[in-house]
Amino acid sequence: MRAEVALKGRSFINALDLSPEEYEALFDLAEEIRAQPEAFAEVCKGKVLATLFYEPSTRTRLSFEAAMLRLGGQILTVADPQTSSVAKGESLADTIRTIACYADLIVIRHPKEGAAHLAAMYSPIPVINGGDGAREHPTQTLTDLFTIRTFKGRLSQLGVAFCGDLRYGRTVHSLLRALLRYPGMRFFLVSPEELRLPESLRDELQAHGVPFLEVEQMEEALPHADVLYMTRVQKERFFNEEDYLRLRDFYILTPERLHLLKSDAIVMHPLPRVTEIAYAVDADPRAVYFQQVQLGMYARMALIASVLGVV
Ligand code: NCD
């Protein structure tokens, strides 16, 4: 039992549910698992993870499922709630209480903000938020912080540029809140006017006294960034197709624009990518978004093992 990871039995709904020390302990464990996966291949034997996704997903659901399988546990999945009793009108509270009879841990993704919190209120077993509307996506933050720590060697004294849909991008919201707590951070918020960071989050930045600059042109931010965090325009949160199409191609990271970036900067993206990063960028060593995917699986292995109290 590791005294430093006191996460047993806890839900993970918001990025700020974990202290910086708890994140560090998870990253240390994730590194250990990554270095020596055989040593952890059976720690979750006999345990069951349920994934309940009310929104499309490739990475988050499969990452959790791969993580559980690699820890020797098993999975139950409701990939399409329309084929479950949800289609008969069952409430989320009842669905959760039912799944809790079969599993040891639930990961939920839902289009409504606050749905994961509601699920955790009704669940007798821990709940992990796999994304709730435009609000939070804390395990993407776990992945992102682990990626930054891995490539930059630190989570402080960094210039971080967020580019794209800062209004609806839940990965941006969770990551910004988490990064606010580290010293010496500077943020560059690159978006068109319509997709600016929500005012409440700008207020949080101001309240923490963290320097940030809002700009519309990515060229203004690139030379200052140690981390460039690109995002997809969140089509599913738009009410109007015309606006989506107008904003979709607002930013495209091309090899030419990459010249403006420091030689030791990294380019991240929670994925899926649509048009915002040209495929030609993928070969650049600074483009780490696929390594980010793999680090996310190790980070989730550390999270599952800790929440289930098996390490
Ligand atoms: C993100 C999400 O679902 O919010 N994807 C992910 O989980 N990696 C980002 C996105 O969909 O754009």
Side-chain angles (χ1 to χ4, degrees):
M1 170 77 179
R2 288 151 196 276
E4 73 274 24
V5 184
L7 299 182
K8 186 174 176 188
R10 274 169 57 184
S11 289
F12 187 30
I13 307 302
N14 302 306
L16 295 186
D17 290 349
L18 300 189
S19 66
E21 294 73 29
E22 285 168 333
Y23 275 110
E24 283 298 309
L26 281 178
F27 302 148
D28 290 345
L29 177 58
E31 266 167 19
E32 241 181 275
I33 298 174
R34 187 178 174 217
Q36 226 191 340
E38 335 66 73
F40 296 86
E42 294 197 6
V43 294
C44 283
K45 199 160 176 234
K47 303 283 187 193
V48 176
L49 168 82
T51 51
L52 175 61
F53 277 57
Y54 291 83
E55 268 191 355
S57 166
T58 306
R59 264 149 303 273
T60 305
R61 184 165 66 81
L62 292 187
S63 176
F64 267 109
E65 294 180 0
M68 188 54 165
L69 293 172
R70 284 169 181 262
L71 292 168
Q74 291 182 297
I75 52 167
L76 281 179
T77 188
V78 190
D80 178 6
Q82 288 317 313
T83 64
S84 75
S85 285
V86 170
K88 300 183 191 170
E90 185 173 53
S91 69
L92 180 62
D94 284 1
T95 303
I96 289 290
R97 283 183 288 203
T98 303
I99 294 175
C101 297
Y102 309 137
D104 300 291
L105 177 62
I106 300 174
V107 181
I108 180 173
R109 168 172 288 187
H110 201 285
K112 285 217 177 81
E113 305 196 358
H117 177 70
L118 184 83
M121 277 170 52
Y122 284 97
S123 177
I125 63 173
V127 173
I128 295 175
N129 181 6
D132 63 326
R135 214 178 64 90
E136 283 254 6
H137 193 345
T139 66
Q140 185 64 46
T141 296
L142 181 71
T143 299
D144 297 341
L145 294 178
F146 187 38
T147 304
I148 296 172
R149 193 180 96 151
T150 301
F151 287 100
K152 300 302 301 174
R154 64 185 190 277
L155 283 168
S156 57
Q157 315 296 336
L158 291 168
V160 182
F162 290 91
C163 179
D165 189 345
L166 310 191
R167 179 171 177 195
Y168 297 115
R170 57 192 171 197
T171 63
V172 171
H173 302 161
S174 287
L175 182 56
L176 251 178
R177 288 202 178 95
L179 285 175
L180 271 180
R181 301 189 290 185
Y182 296 93
M185 304 302 289
R186 306 170 301 282
F187 298 117
F188 302 89
L189 308 174
V190 188
S191 75
E193 177 65 28
E194 293 96 323
L195 299 179
R196 274 176 81 187
L197 194 74
E199 201 181 336
S200 59
L201 250 162
R202 288 202 302 265
D203 290 347
E204 282 180 51
L205 284 168
Q206 256 148 8
H208 278 79
V210 182
F212 70 93
L213 188 68
E214 289 186 283
V215 294
E216 209 176 84
Q217 298 306 317
M218 69 193 299
E219 284 77 2
E220 291 177 55
L222 291 185
H224 310 287
D226 300 298
V227 175
L228 171 61
Y229 194 91
M230 295 295 296
T231 63
R232 168 182 75 91
V233 174
Q234 304 283 297
K235 180 178 185 200
E236 63 277 35
R237 319 255 178 251
F238 276 73
F239 298 105
N240 160 345
E241 179 81 5
E242 215 175 282
D243 284 347
Y244 168 68
L245 290 175
R246 186 168 48 80
L247 295 168
R248 188 189 61 185
D249 299 330
F250 207 92
Y251 301 111
I252 300 184
L253 185 64
T254 57
E256 296 71 51
R257 294 208 168 98
L258 216 51
H259 287 312
L260 296 171
L261 208 57
K262 294 181 191 172
S263 60
D264 63 347
I266 56 172
V267 182
M268 296 171 60
H269 192 306
L271 302 178
R273 120 177 84 181
V274 187
T275 50
E276 59 279 0
I277 302 181
Y279 278 82
V281 169
D282 298 358
D284 192 288
R286 290 168 291 183
V288 301
Y289 25 91
F290 289 106
Q291 284 112 303
Q292 189 181 347
V293 172
Q294 199 184 35
L295 291 169
M297 183 187 70
Y298 290 117
R300 289 184 174 102
M301 287 171 83
L303 178 67
I304 293 171
S306 301
V307 169
L308 292 179
V310 296
V311 283

